[in-house]
Amino acid sequence: MRHRVASPPLIMALNPSSSCRRLLSSSVGRVTASSQQIRHYAAPGEGTVPAAKQKYVPTTGIYPKGFLASSAHVGVKPSNTRFDDLCLIASSVPCSAAAVFTKNKFQAAPVTVSREIIKSRNGAGIRAVVVNSGCANAVTGAGGVEDAKAMGKETDRCFEEDGTESQTQDQSQTVVMSTGVIGQRLPLKKILHKIPTAYDTLGDTHAHWLRAARAICTTDTFPKLLSRPFTLPNSSTQYSLVGMTKGAGMIHPNMATLLGILCTDAPIAPAALQSLLNSAIDKSFNSISIDGDTSTNDTVALLANGVGGGPQITGPESAGYAEMQTVLTDFAADLAKLVVRDGEGATKFVTIRVTNAADYADAKKVASTIARSPLVKTALYGKDANWGRILCATGYAEGVESVVPTETSVSFMPTDGSPELKLLVGGEPEAVDEKRAAEILEHEDLEIVVKLSETKGEEAVYYTCDFSHEYVTINGDYRT
């Protein structure tokens, strides 16, 4: 096993843990609508987290046993001369692996390569995830596919040199992800040169995980990292989940809307893991929208190495499966919310709750339509209680039969615990207290409740943000 040097501290106002255990080969700016909300979107930019976002960056964590993380500076974008843009997550033992991918027809090379890797291995024997930011390796032809495969093979080679399991000839052990500009080839030689560096600096401290989460950012203003302990009824062991994600723009579900890596030390068989992830995605990463655009690179992967011990979860009939589903879904939802909170140019985090639908699908379609309406989002940015735009989006949601116009109600639900502000009740407009509405819209968090009928029915929850002038600024100069 090679000697590994700990990574330098993250360039942020954080207090990472100083402990370090590395056992890979062992047996186991602009002022927004509210003058108090300041956002500096350029990433990596100056590498500082805006004051309003620092509360979302963890200072400690409880991480799953047997997983390690690291990052390295490649300079994928020539303008990035300082910040790490290569991330590596590795397990001390082979893992069960599951993933969901974009349904965009122009799927990036790492999407097609990683899907084939997991399929060819039947979701077993995965050791690592390697990610670069700064270039999406999307719409890059056959050469881009070869580049993605080369990233995986170079990561595999690091395990071989440490004397651990080697991959079979055409079955890499590494899931590959890329994010950034579409239509450009990777600076492959530079990336391949730095993968061994990332491997040599793997570690299990909070600082390692936080740096890895920062390395996958593009226009994100803060690293999105969560960890959580949990127990299962079929075991007395305390397990842990860790997740990191990136995304701030080009976010709308048709799978996962971004990049995400989740790891757990719970023992879960591949088939059960894929089932758990599919269900969790529906109410988390598939229930958020920033701008209505679904990327070419969307990937969320879940790895389970079983190092925590205990009986294996093999399917829905297994003890602990239902509890694992609840833990994973809640965790994924909290991780997905961080993406919305960092929406490009966003000043508000908006929960859309649609109730009394004939079925969940109808409720979700209405919520999704409201969430991606530019008119709703710009009204929220302008602190305008323009409920007519919410109602309009509700009415044009495609394929929905649950809407009863004479029974539809719309309210603002303040997040400070004060009474809801009713805007429309049973299809009849209320006399809106504009002063009260303005007070509610001053807050960063807001919940919109839409009741489709008076008949008790299904509910769906969706998360979105507002549209500001800054969104245009960010995306107007993103490539250049």
Side-chain angles (χ1 to χ4, degrees):
M1 180 175 70
R2 306 180 196 174
H3 175 67
R4 301 188 183 90
V5 180
S7 302
L10 186 71
I11 307 174
M12 290 180 183
L14 307 170
N15 288 312
S17 169
S18 60
S19 64
C20 180
R21 302 182 305 277
R22 296 181 296 276
L23 300 171
L24 187 60
S25 297
S26 66
S27 59
V28 290
R30 113 185 239 287
V31 178
T32 61
S34 170
S35 61
Q36 295 182 345
Q37 297 176 15
I38 301 174
R39 176 186 171 91
H40 304 286
Y41 75 85
E46 297 179 357
T48 55
V49 177
K53 308 294 183 181
Q54 287 179 2
K55 60 188 174 185
Y56 303 119
V57 181
T59 56
T60 61
I62 300 174
Y63 298 104
K65 295 180 285 292
F67 282 103
L68 304 173
S70 69
S71 64
H73 175 257
V74 174
V76 174
K77 272 190 172 183
S79 59
N80 175 20
T81 61
R82 297 171 52 199
F83 297 98
D84 288 359
D85 49 4
L86 182 70
C87 162
L88 180 62
I89 307 298
S91 173
S92 61
V93 297
C95 301
S96 297
V100 286
F101 301 96
T102 182
K103 293 182 180 178
N104 192 305
K105 290 181 173 62
F106 292 96
Q107 296 187 352
V111 169
T112 59
V113 168
S114 293
R115 179 189 289 112
E116 182 55 34
I117 288 170
I118 293 175
K119 180 181 178 181
S120 66
R121 284 186 165 271
N122 294 316
I126 297 298
R127 291 295 299 273
V129 180
V130 64
V131 191
N132 77 271
S133 61
C135 177
N137 190 13
V139 197
T140 47
V145 171
E146 292 306 311
D147 290 348
K149 289 180 178 179
M151 287 177 61
K153 289 178 180 178
E154 183 60 29
T155 306
D156 295 336
R157 191 172 294 115
C158 294
F159 291 99
E160 291 177 336
E161 292 179 3
D162 259 0
T164 56
E165 177 197 358
S166 61
Q167 79 278 16
T168 56
Q169 185 172 358
D170 295 318
Q171 294 182 331
S172 174
Q173 298 172 282
T174 303
V175 173
V176 180
M177 301 181 189
S178 296
T179 182
V181 178
I182 294 171
Q184 297 180 3
R185 290 285 296 274
L186 294 170
L188 186 62
K189 290 184 178 179
K190 293 169 65 176
I191 292 174
L192 298 184
H193 178 68
K194 286 302 181 75
I195 287 176
T197 301
Y199 182 87
D200 286 341
T201 56
L202 283 164
D204 64 356
T205 71
H206 177 67
H208 285 89
W209 283 101
L210 198 54
R211 287 183 65 86
R214 180 63 183 85
I216 66 176
C217 293
T218 50
T219 58
D220 309 64
T221 67
F222 66 92
K224 299 163 184 64
L225 175 70
L226 289 179
S227 63
R228 184 169 299 167
F230 65 94
T231 57
L232 295 173
N234 59 331
S235 175
S236 59
T237 302
Q238 178 176 285
Y239 301 109
S240 182
L241 261 169
V242 64
M244 64 178 67
T245 186
K246 65 81 48 185
M250 198 176 281
I251 303 294
H252 188 74
N254 201 358
M255 180 294 301
T257 71
L258 35 67
L259 298 187
I261 306 163
L262 289 76
C263 305
T264 183
D265 49 9
I268 309 172
L273 197 69
Q274 187 67 59
S275 174
L276 289 164
L277 181 61
N278 290 344
S279 182
I281 288 293
D282 189 48
K283 294 186 177 181
S284 59
F285 292 110
N286 260 358
S287 291
I288 62 175
S289 185
I290 288 175
D291 50 21
D293 277 314
T294 300
S295 170
T296 56
N297 290 60
D298 301 341
T299 304
V300 171
L302 171 62
L303 274 58
N305 64 11
V307 171
Q312 188 179 56
I313 295 174
T314 59
E317 71 289 345
S318 297
Y321 181 93
E323 290 79 6
M324 186 70 227
Q325 185 68 79
T326 299
V327 168
L328 180 62
T329 301
D330 290 347
F331 182 81
D334 287 344
L335 198 58
K337 290 175 190 177
L338 293 178
V339 175
V340 177
R341 289 195 178 278
D342 202 24
E344 289 174 344
T347 71
K348 298 192 184 305
F349 176 86
V350 185
T351 300
I352 300 172
R353 188 178 305 274
V354 176
T355 67
N356 288 4
D359 52 42
Y360 174 75
D362 269 11
K364 189 172 182 182
K365 286 177 183 177
V366 172
S368 172
T369 304
I370 297 170
R372 68 174 183 268
S373 166
L375 291 179
V376 171
K377 294 159 80 69
T378 50
L380 293 171
Y381 172 65
K383 305 179 204 174
D384 181 8
N386 194 338
W387 57 265
R389 295 181 176 182
I390 300 170
L391 195 68
C392 184
T394 300
Y396 68 67
E398 294 184 3
V400 175
E401 302 297 331
S402 298
V403 180
V404 182
T406 57
E407 298 179 8
T408 300
S409 298
V410 179
S411 297
F412 284 165
M413 189 68 69
T415 56
D416 61 3
S418 58
E420 69 178 318
L421 177 65
K422 296 180 179 180
L423 306 171
L424 181 77
V425 177
E428 296 290 335
E430 294 289 289
V432 178
D433 183 341
E434 296 292 346
K435 181 179 179 181
R436 174 70 179 133
E439 291 173 351
I440 293 172
L441 290 169
E442 279 288 342
H443 295 292
E444 180 182 347
D445 287 24
L446 170 70
E447 181 173 326
I448 297 172
V449 180
V450 178
K451 185 166 63 174
L452 300 184
S453 72
E454 296 297 337
T455 303
K456 187 173 178 60
E458 296 297 317
E459 173 180 301
V461 179
Y462 222 85
Y463 307 99
T464 191
C465 58
D466 57 346
F467 262 164
S468 70
H469 299 87
E470 191 176 349
Y471 178 85
V472 178
T473 301
I474 294 167
N475 287 283
D477 64 13
Y478 176 73
R479 192 174 69 88
T480 55

